[in-house]
């Protein structure tokens, strides 16, 4: 328990505006419903894309780009 409390915290870098714009573009391209978007955001325990970390939004963008190219 003590190690957890004394552990140095690391700042979370939130998604950049260009990443949010890119994910919104991809969501339109794939016509992903608002309901499905909410479900996806819930996996990350956030309510909107601007609450995602850089790593989280990069993962989502990469996954969507892979689908566009026909790969997984």
């Amino acid at each position: 328990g003590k190690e957890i409390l004394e552990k140095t915290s690391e700042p979370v870098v939130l998604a950049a505006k260009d990443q949010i714009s890119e994910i919104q573009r991809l969501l339109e391209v794939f016509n992903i419903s608002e309901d499905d978007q909410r479900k996806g955001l819930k996996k990350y325990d956030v309510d909107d894309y601007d609450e995602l970390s850089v790593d989280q939004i990069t993962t989502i963008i990469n996954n969507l780009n892979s689908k566009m190219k026909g790969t997984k």
Side-chain angles (χ1 to χ4, degrees):
K2 183 178 179 182
E3 299 84 23
I4 294 173
L5 293 175
E6 293 179 356
K7 183 179 175 184
T8 304
S9 63
E10 295 181 24
V12 173
V13 180
L14 296 179
K17 288 182 181 183
D18 61 324
Q19 290 175 306
I20 295 168
S21 296
E22 175 65 3
I23 203 163
Q24 289 172 335
R25 182 187 73 80
L26 290 168
L27 292 170
E28 286 182 29
V29 167
F30 286 103
N31 198 27
I32 297 174
S33 71
E34 286 188 29
D35 189 48
D36 286 341
Q37 290 181 48
R38 276 192 297 276
K39 289 176 188 175
L41 289 169
K42 190 173 183 177
K43 292 179 186 177
Y44 293 101
D45 198 27
V46 297
D47 295 320
D48 207 344
Y49 293 101
D50 61 357
E51 297 175 27
L52 292 169
S53 72
V54 168
D55 292 339
Q56 292 168 330
I57 201 164
T58 299
T59 298
I60 296 168
I61 290 170
N62 289 343
N63 288 341
L64 290 172
N65 279 326
S66 292
K67 287 183 181 185
M68 191 171 350
K69 294 175 185 171
T71 60
K72 270 199 163 185

XYZ file of all heavy atoms in Angstrom:
575
model
N 0.787 -1.180 0.000
C 0.000 0.000 0.000
C 0.842 1.263 0.000
O 0.546 2.209 -0.695
N 1.914 1.271 0.813
C 2.734 2.471 0.940
C 3.400 2.839 -0.389
O 3.496 4.014 -0.730
C 3.800 2.258 2.016
C 4.660 3.457 2.269
C 5.664 3.188 3.381
C 6.537 4.402 3.601
N 7.546 4.168 4.625
N 3.835 1.807 -1.156
C 4.499 2.075 -2.430
C 3.563 2.796 -3.392
O 3.981 3.669 -4.150
C 4.990 0.774 -3.074
C 6.005 0.001 -2.263
C 5.349 -0.903 -1.219
O 4.171 -1.269 -1.374
O 6.022 -1.200 -0.226
N 2.303 2.415 -3.366
C 1.325 3.031 -4.258
C 1.110 4.493 -3.891
O 1.073 5.364 -4.747
C -0.011 2.256 -4.239
C 0.199 0.874 -4.845
C -1.099 3.010 -4.987
C -0.981 -0.040 -4.728
N 0.995 4.759 -2.602
C 0.770 6.124 -2.147
C 1.968 7.028 -2.409
O 1.822 8.216 -2.666
C 0.428 6.141 -0.657
C -0.910 5.511 -0.274
C -1.058 5.477 1.237
C -2.050 6.285 -0.897
N 3.162 6.467 -2.339
C 4.365 7.270 -2.515
C 4.891 7.254 -3.947
O 5.900 7.884 -4.246
C 5.449 6.778 -1.555
C 5.084 7.044 -0.105
C 6.125 6.549 0.880
O 7.116 5.919 0.453
O 5.951 6.793 2.077
N 4.227 6.554 -4.827
C 4.641 6.462 -6.218
C 4.563 7.839 -6.872
O 3.611 8.590 -6.676
C 3.732 5.476 -6.970
C 4.126 5.261 -8.403
C 3.197 4.254 -9.052
C 3.521 4.121 -10.519
N 2.584 3.243 -11.196
N 5.563 8.169 -7.659
C 5.578 9.443 -8.361
C 4.504 9.419 -9.439
O 4.423 8.487 -10.225
C 6.957 9.673 -9.024
O 7.966 9.593 -8.025
C 7.017 11.031 -9.687
N 3.698 10.462 -9.452
C 2.637 10.521 -10.463
C 3.219 11.029 -11.774
O 4.163 11.802 -11.802
C 1.507 11.430 -10.005
O 1.983 12.750 -9.861
N 2.633 10.538 -12.861
C 3.050 10.969 -14.184
C 1.884 11.719 -14.817
O 0.755 11.246 -14.790
C 3.428 9.765 -15.037
C 4.648 9.032 -14.514
C 5.020 7.847 -15.383
O 4.673 7.839 -16.573
O 5.654 6.941 -14.844
N 2.159 12.889 -15.395
C 1.070 13.657 -16.011
C 0.505 12.937 -17.227
O 1.227 12.265 -17.951
C 1.738 14.968 -16.418
C 3.185 14.647 -16.516
C 3.446 13.525 -15.553
N -0.788 13.088 -17.427
C -1.457 12.511 -18.586
C -1.569 13.614 -19.635
O -2.102 14.690 -19.361
C -2.862 11.992 -18.212
C -3.617 11.539 -19.443
C -2.749 10.883 -17.192
N -1.034 13.354 -20.813
C -1.117 14.329 -21.903
C -2.393 14.039 -22.679
O -2.572 12.942 -23.205
C 0.123 14.234 -22.822
C 0.020 15.245 -23.955
C 1.395 14.437 -22.022
N -3.267 15.026 -22.718
C -4.551 14.849 -23.394
C -4.408 14.993 -24.901
O -3.444 15.564 -25.406
C -5.566 15.855 -22.854
C -5.940 15.709 -21.381
C -6.935 16.783 -20.984
C -6.503 14.329 -21.087
N -5.384 14.471 -25.594
C -5.411 14.487 -27.060
C -5.294 15.917 -27.588
O -5.865 16.848 -27.019
C -6.697 13.857 -27.556
N -4.555 16.060 -28.672
C -4.388 17.365 -29.310
C -5.597 17.669 -30.193
O -6.322 16.763 -30.609
C -3.116 17.360 -30.152
N -5.792 18.945 -30.484
C -6.942 19.359 -31.295
C -6.940 18.706 -32.670
O -7.984 18.328 -33.187
C -6.975 20.880 -31.439
C -7.361 21.584 -30.165
C -7.444 23.083 -30.347
C -7.811 23.729 -29.010
N -7.981 25.172 -29.128
N -5.751 18.545 -33.266
C -5.697 17.916 -34.594
C -6.072 16.442 -34.526
O -6.665 15.898 -35.457
C -4.325 18.110 -35.252
C -3.186 17.489 -34.469
O -3.221 17.507 -33.226
O -2.241 16.999 -35.112
N -5.766 15.788 -33.404
C -6.170 14.388 -33.232
C -7.687 14.284 -33.080
O -8.301 13.377 -33.629
C -5.491 13.779 -32.005
C -4.007 13.564 -32.174
C -3.379 13.072 -30.896
O -3.524 13.691 -29.848
N -2.687 11.945 -30.984
N -8.270 15.209 -32.351
C -9.724 15.212 -32.173
C -10.406 15.459 -33.512
O -11.385 14.792 -33.859
C -10.144 16.249 -31.109
C -9.575 15.838 -29.740
C -11.659 16.388 -31.054
C -9.664 16.899 -28.678
N -9.863 16.389 -34.306
C -10.412 16.651 -35.645
C -10.316 15.415 -36.523
O -11.250 15.083 -37.254
C -9.672 17.808 -36.310
O -9.865 18.991 -35.589
N -9.180 14.723 -36.453
C -8.981 13.516 -37.266
C -9.958 12.414 -36.871
O -10.547 11.756 -37.721
C -7.529 13.027 -37.132
C -7.241 11.726 -37.829
C -7.357 11.773 -39.349
O -7.607 12.848 -39.925
O -7.211 10.709 -39.979
N -10.155 12.225 -35.573
C -11.072 11.164 -35.149
C -12.505 11.509 -35.548
O -13.260 10.635 -35.964
C -10.938 10.852 -33.644
C -11.451 9.445 -33.378
C -11.667 11.834 -32.774
C -11.021 8.866 -32.071
N -12.867 12.779 -35.492
C -14.207 13.181 -35.910
C -14.397 12.932 -37.406
O -15.454 12.485 -37.839
C -14.462 14.641 -35.546
C -14.622 14.830 -34.054
C -14.675 16.279 -33.618
O -14.170 17.167 -34.290
N -15.279 16.514 -32.459
N -13.358 13.192 -38.192
C -13.425 12.935 -39.630
C -13.608 11.442 -39.894
O -14.462 11.034 -40.686
C -12.138 13.426 -40.311
C -12.140 13.250 -41.815
C -10.787 13.584 -42.417
N -9.798 12.560 -42.138
C -9.689 11.402 -42.798
N -10.525 11.102 -43.766
N -8.750 10.532 -42.485
N -12.838 10.614 -39.195
C -12.926 9.168 -39.390
C -14.277 8.618 -38.947
O -14.832 7.717 -39.576
C -11.789 8.463 -38.636
C -10.398 8.690 -39.218
C -9.333 8.205 -38.243
C -10.256 8.002 -40.563
N -14.822 9.171 -37.878
C -16.138 8.730 -37.402
C -17.207 9.032 -38.445
O -18.133 8.238 -38.635
C -16.478 9.408 -36.070
C -15.605 8.983 -34.892
C -15.859 9.892 -33.694
C -15.813 7.530 -34.529
N -17.060 10.154 -39.141
C -17.999 10.487 -40.217
C -17.808 9.560 -41.410
O -18.783 9.097 -42.006
C -17.820 11.943 -40.644
C -18.378 12.923 -39.655
C -18.226 14.366 -40.116
O -18.205 14.608 -41.345
O -18.147 15.245 -39.241
N -16.556 9.284 -41.762
C -16.260 8.396 -42.892
C -16.898 7.026 -42.674
O -17.498 6.449 -43.572
C -14.729 8.253 -43.101
C -14.396 7.110 -44.049
C -14.139 9.556 -43.611
N -16.779 6.521 -41.455
C -17.316 5.201 -41.139
C -18.772 5.243 -40.677
O -19.357 4.205 -40.389
C -16.461 4.519 -40.066
C -15.148 4.030 -40.594
C -13.979 4.728 -40.329
C -15.077 2.884 -41.359
C -12.763 4.285 -40.820
C -13.872 2.426 -41.851
C -12.709 3.133 -41.582
N -19.341 6.450 -40.584
C -20.731 6.617 -40.180
C -21.018 5.896 -38.861
O -21.990 5.143 -38.742
C -21.667 6.134 -41.292
C -23.065 6.670 -41.114
O -23.267 7.730 -40.518
N -24.045 5.939 -41.617
N -20.177 6.132 -37.876
C -20.317 5.489 -36.569
C -21.359 6.265 -35.759
O -21.238 7.477 -35.572
C -18.965 5.422 -35.844
C -18.007 4.551 -36.670
C -19.127 4.875 -34.426
C -16.599 4.508 -36.164
N -22.365 5.550 -35.298
C -23.478 6.183 -34.581
C -23.013 6.783 -33.254
O -22.001 6.379 -32.687
C -24.585 5.165 -34.317
O -24.171 4.241 -33.334
N -23.800 7.738 -32.765
C -23.482 8.355 -31.473
C -23.518 7.316 -30.358
O -22.732 7.380 -29.423
C -24.448 9.501 -31.180
C -24.169 10.732 -32.010
C -24.995 11.924 -31.578
O -25.347 12.016 -30.386
O -25.281 12.772 -32.442
N -24.433 6.363 -30.466
C -24.536 5.311 -29.454
C -23.248 4.478 -29.422
O -22.716 4.203 -28.348
C -25.750 4.424 -29.735
C -26.028 3.454 -28.607
O -26.050 3.890 -27.429
O -26.212 2.253 -28.896
N -22.750 4.100 -30.601
C -21.511 3.336 -30.659
C -20.324 4.169 -30.181
O -19.410 3.650 -29.537
C -21.253 2.820 -32.074
C -22.169 1.660 -32.447
O -22.734 1.015 -31.531
O -22.334 1.404 -33.653
N -20.348 5.460 -30.471
C -19.286 6.332 -29.989
C -19.286 6.394 -28.464
O -18.228 6.317 -27.831
C -19.440 7.738 -30.558
C -19.159 7.822 -32.042
C -19.310 9.232 -32.564
O -18.786 10.169 -31.968
N -20.012 9.382 -33.672
N -20.466 6.517 -27.872
C -20.573 6.558 -26.408
C -20.053 5.264 -25.793
O -19.367 5.274 -24.772
C -22.021 6.797 -25.980
C -22.417 8.257 -25.971
C -23.742 8.482 -25.261
N -24.865 7.825 -25.919
C -25.552 8.330 -26.933
N -25.241 9.512 -27.412
N -26.552 7.677 -27.467
N -20.390 4.137 -26.416
C -19.902 2.840 -25.926
C -18.380 2.784 -25.983
O -17.739 2.289 -25.053
C -20.502 1.694 -26.752
C -21.961 1.457 -26.516
C -22.484 0.371 -27.431
C -23.995 0.238 -27.345
N -24.505 -0.740 -28.316
N -17.807 3.288 -27.082
C -16.357 3.303 -27.216
C -15.693 4.191 -26.176
O -14.678 3.824 -25.581
N -16.279 5.353 -25.945
C -15.724 6.270 -24.952
C -15.833 5.690 -23.542
O -14.946 5.904 -22.706
C -16.437 7.624 -25.027
C -16.134 8.462 -26.265
C -17.097 9.641 -26.353
C -14.698 8.939 -26.259
N -16.904 4.955 -23.303
C -17.117 4.355 -21.983
C -15.991 3.374 -21.640
O -15.600 3.245 -20.485
C -18.473 3.655 -21.938
C -18.889 3.222 -20.567
C -20.313 2.687 -20.559
C -20.724 2.330 -19.155
N -22.102 1.879 -19.094
N -15.435 2.709 -22.665
C -14.324 1.782 -22.442
C -13.121 2.492 -21.822
O -12.344 1.892 -21.098
C -13.890 1.120 -23.756
C -14.896 0.171 -24.329
C -14.393 -0.402 -25.634
C -15.452 -1.257 -26.293
N -14.996 -1.769 -27.601
N -12.986 3.772 -22.150
C -11.873 4.567 -21.631
C -12.287 5.402 -20.420
O -11.502 6.204 -19.919
C -11.312 5.479 -22.724
C -10.646 4.719 -23.832
C -11.301 4.484 -25.038
C -9.352 4.223 -23.684
C -10.682 3.792 -26.063
C -8.736 3.522 -24.699
C -9.408 3.310 -25.884
O -8.794 2.619 -26.897
N -13.530 5.247 -19.983
C -14.070 5.963 -18.827
C -14.022 7.482 -19.027
O -13.625 8.228 -18.134
C -13.325 5.558 -17.552
C -14.099 5.913 -16.292
O -15.342 5.984 -16.351
O -13.452 6.150 -15.255
N -14.394 7.925 -20.239
C -14.475 9.351 -20.548
C -15.812 9.635 -21.230
O -16.485 8.730 -21.703
C -13.311 9.814 -21.465
C -11.968 9.639 -20.769
C -13.324 9.103 -22.798
N -16.176 10.910 -21.270
C -17.444 11.307 -21.883
C -17.272 11.909 -23.270
O -18.227 12.013 -24.030
C -18.170 12.314 -20.988
C -18.583 11.702 -19.668
O -19.021 10.534 -19.647
O -18.455 12.393 -18.632
N -16.052 12.358 -23.591
C -15.829 12.996 -24.890
C -14.395 12.745 -25.334
O -13.526 12.406 -24.525
C -16.092 14.494 -24.791
C -16.509 15.105 -26.109
O -16.322 14.462 -27.171
O -17.023 16.239 -26.097
N -14.143 12.953 -26.616
C -12.833 12.649 -27.184
C -11.732 13.546 -26.633
O -10.587 13.132 -26.547
C -12.885 12.719 -28.717
C -13.745 11.618 -29.274
C -15.044 11.859 -29.683
C -13.267 10.319 -29.338
C -15.847 10.838 -30.156
C -14.064 9.289 -29.803
C -15.351 9.552 -30.211
O -16.139 8.528 -30.666
N -12.072 14.772 -26.229
C -11.047 15.663 -25.696
C -10.573 15.256 -24.305
O -9.620 15.821 -23.773
C -11.510 17.120 -25.716
C -12.745 17.385 -24.864
O -13.302 16.431 -24.282
O -13.153 18.552 -24.808
N -11.204 14.246 -23.715
C -10.779 13.717 -22.417
C -9.820 12.531 -22.556
O -9.269 12.052 -21.572
C -11.992 13.284 -21.601
C -12.932 14.431 -21.261
C -14.188 13.952 -20.566
O -14.153 12.900 -19.907
O -15.216 14.631 -20.684
N -9.632 12.057 -23.784
C -8.733 10.926 -24.025
C -7.281 11.376 -23.947
O -6.955 12.515 -24.277
C -8.991 10.332 -25.408
C -10.320 9.618 -25.613
C -10.529 9.339 -27.091
C -10.367 8.329 -24.818
N -6.411 10.454 -23.564
C -4.982 10.744 -23.586
C -4.478 10.616 -25.023
O -5.161 10.050 -25.889
C -4.224 9.769 -22.688
O -4.195 8.478 -23.284
N -3.290 11.130 -25.266
C -2.676 11.019 -26.588
C -2.576 9.547 -26.988
O -2.880 9.180 -28.124
C -1.285 11.695 -26.599
C -0.518 11.348 -27.860
C -1.430 13.193 -26.462
N -2.150 8.698 -26.062
C -2.008 7.272 -26.367
C -3.344 6.634 -26.728
O -3.433 5.844 -27.668
C -1.381 6.521 -25.187
C 0.074 6.898 -24.957
O 0.727 7.403 -25.904
O 0.563 6.688 -23.836
N -4.386 6.963 -25.980
C -5.699 6.380 -26.233
C -6.244 6.802 -27.595
O -6.710 5.961 -28.375
C -6.681 6.795 -25.130
C -6.369 6.185 -23.786
C -7.166 6.819 -22.658
O -7.517 7.998 -22.702
N -7.453 6.031 -21.636
N -6.183 8.092 -27.891
C -6.751 8.563 -29.160
C -5.916 8.083 -30.338
O -6.447 7.774 -31.399
C -6.945 10.100 -29.162
C -7.985 10.480 -30.216
C -5.639 10.834 -29.377
C -8.544 11.874 -30.064
N -4.603 7.963 -30.148
C -3.743 7.439 -31.209
C -4.119 6.004 -31.533
O -4.178 5.617 -32.706
C -2.258 7.533 -30.797
O -1.930 8.909 -30.586
C -1.347 6.961 -31.866
N -4.414 5.212 -30.517
C -4.833 3.824 -30.715
C -6.128 3.765 -31.522
O -6.246 2.987 -32.474
C -5.025 3.115 -29.355
O -3.777 3.109 -28.669
C -5.531 1.694 -29.528
N -7.084 4.600 -31.169
C -8.366 4.612 -31.873
C -8.175 5.039 -33.326
O -8.709 4.415 -34.245
C -9.376 5.537 -31.154
C -9.690 4.997 -29.762
C -10.663 5.670 -31.976
C -10.450 5.972 -28.877
N -7.414 6.099 -33.539
C -7.163 6.590 -34.900
C -6.473 5.513 -35.730
O -6.853 5.265 -36.883
C -6.342 7.895 -34.875
C -7.205 9.035 -34.330
C -5.811 8.237 -36.269
C -6.444 10.316 -34.036
N -5.473 4.871 -35.165
C -4.758 3.814 -35.890
C -5.691 2.658 -36.250
O -5.615 2.110 -37.352
C -3.562 3.308 -35.092
C -2.439 4.319 -35.029
O -2.378 5.266 -35.810
N -1.546 4.141 -34.079
N -6.564 2.285 -35.320
C -7.523 1.211 -35.588
C -8.476 1.585 -36.724
O -8.750 0.769 -37.604
C -8.319 0.860 -34.332
C -7.503 0.134 -33.299
O -6.456 -0.435 -33.593
N -7.950 0.163 -32.056
N -8.969 2.814 -36.710
C -9.880 3.256 -37.765
C -9.162 3.351 -39.107
O -9.709 2.965 -40.137
C -10.521 4.598 -37.391
C -11.526 4.555 -36.238
C -11.937 5.951 -35.824
C -12.746 3.720 -36.607
N -7.927 3.854 -39.099
C -7.156 3.922 -40.344
C -6.880 2.527 -40.897
O -6.902 2.324 -42.109
C -5.848 4.682 -40.132
C -6.034 6.181 -40.160
O -6.870 6.706 -40.881
N -5.255 6.875 -39.358
N -6.632 1.559 -40.016
C -6.409 0.179 -40.459
C -7.654 -0.375 -41.131
O -7.560 -1.062 -42.147
C -6.025 -0.704 -39.270
O -4.765 -0.356 -38.778
N -8.811 -0.064 -40.570
C -10.057 -0.530 -41.172
C -10.263 0.098 -42.547
O -10.772 -0.549 -43.448
C -11.250 -0.194 -40.263
C -11.318 -1.053 -39.041
C -12.540 -0.736 -38.214
C -12.576 -1.608 -36.980
N -13.806 -1.420 -36.216
N -9.852 1.349 -42.685
C -10.020 2.033 -43.966
C -9.124 1.382 -45.028
O -9.508 1.279 -46.181
C -9.671 3.524 -43.835
C -10.079 4.296 -45.047
S -9.979 6.111 -44.971
C -9.668 6.555 -43.322
N -7.964 0.915 -44.601
C -7.034 0.277 -45.533
C -7.370 -1.196 -45.742
O -6.716 -1.867 -46.508
C -5.603 0.422 -45.009
C -5.125 1.853 -44.991
C -3.764 1.973 -44.368
C -3.361 3.440 -44.252
N -2.151 3.617 -43.479
N -8.353 -1.695 -44.991
C -8.775 -3.081 -45.146
C -7.931 -4.073 -44.388
O -7.966 -5.265 -44.662
N -7.175 -3.597 -43.397
C -6.369 -4.488 -42.560
C -6.818 -4.381 -41.130
O -7.525 -3.464 -40.750
C -4.868 -4.138 -42.652
O -4.691 -2.794 -42.218
C -4.358 -4.286 -44.064
N -6.391 -5.329 -40.331
C -6.717 -5.264 -38.904
C -5.470 -5.279 -38.086
O -4.476 -5.776 -38.409
C -7.588 -6.442 -38.494
C -9.038 -6.124 -38.632
C -9.854 -7.080 -37.824
C -11.232 -6.524 -37.615
N -12.032 -7.287 -36.772
